[in-house]
Amino acid sequence: MVSRHRGFTLLEVLVALLIFSLGLIGMAGLTVLSVKTNHSAFLRTQASFIAQAMEDRMRANIIGVWNDDYDATYPSGVGALTCDVAPGCTPAQISQRDKAIFDAQLARSLPVGATATIACTRSGGVAAPAAADLLRRPPYQGNCTMDIVWTESNVQNEQAAAAQQFTWAFQP
């Protein structure tokens, strides 16, 4: 008896191998997309941590907030600052130190070229308290907005860069 199905099994194996290969290519593409999306989420989390840390520093130095010491574009270029321990730091020196810390966190935690702006506005045109009243540390009567912007590679196209923005609105 002569078999008529010669080579048919080989053809089935080749078709199965082709289908399996296409499945693996699809899985690889999904894995790459997943890694890129996960990195984007990681950068957003980092921006959130940086913003929250700066907000906490601003709340600790409410006099600096009243004096508009934090309103700036970052990186601010303020270098590390040391105060004499005996008399302590002034609110302006504390805000300079906070700016230097914020600059370092932007550079360390986000892609190169990340920038930020902080703008605080008093509600209803409230004037800053007198210097003597500031020593009582009155709560800030207004809101602040912090915008952090960085550029990361686009998920669909490696050559294109997508600007990402994280906006944090808070009351110090």
Side-chain angles (χ1 to χ4, degrees):
M1 222 181 201
V2 179
S3 175
R4 293 181 171 180
H5 300 290
R6 245 181 238 196
F8 188 68
T9 306
L10 183 61
L11 184 61
E12 287 177 341
V13 168
L14 288 175
V15 169
L17 189 61
L18 176 68
I19 291 171
F20 184 70
S21 303
L22 290 175
L24 285 179
I25 290 171
M27 290 290 288
L30 285 175
T31 302
V32 168
L33 182 65
S34 173
V35 168
K36 288 181 181 180
T37 305
N38 191 26
H39 183 67
S40 179
F42 170 75
L43 291 176
R44 284 203 166 277
T45 302
Q46 291 299 99
S48 174
F49 287 151
I50 293 168
Q52 199 167 24
M54 185 60 163
E55 175 188 359
D56 289 341
R57 285 191 294 276
M58 290 172 69
R59 280 192 176 135
N61 185 17
I62 202 68
I63 296 172
V65 176
W66 274 108
N67 291 333
D68 299 326
D69 291 340
Y70 290 96
D71 291 6
T73 301
Y74 298 87
S76 62
V78 174
L81 180 73
T82 57
C83 301
D84 188 3
V85 178
C89 297
T90 66
Q93 290 172 323
I94 292 171
S95 65
Q96 284 184 332
R97 183 205 55 177
D98 292 345
K99 287 179 179 181
I101 292 170
F102 190 61
D103 287 347
Q105 287 178 333
L106 281 175
R108 184 177 55 244
S109 301
L110 294 175
V112 175
T115 60
T117 56
I118 297 176
C120 295
T121 55
R122 295 184 194 106
S123 16
V126 175
D133 293 334
L134 275 177
L135 295 176
R136 286 186 249 138
R137 298 181 179 267
Y140 187 72
Q141 296 177 6
N143 295 311
C144 296
T145 303
M146 186 182 315
D147 290 313
I148 301 175
V149 179
W150 68 93
T151 303
E152 63 184 61
S153 63
N154 193 331
V155 174
Q156 282 80 22
N157 184 356
E158 278 297 321
Q159 279 67 28
Q164 301 293 321
Q165 181 173 358
F166 178 84
T167 302
W168 184 270
F170 60 97
Q171 184 176 11

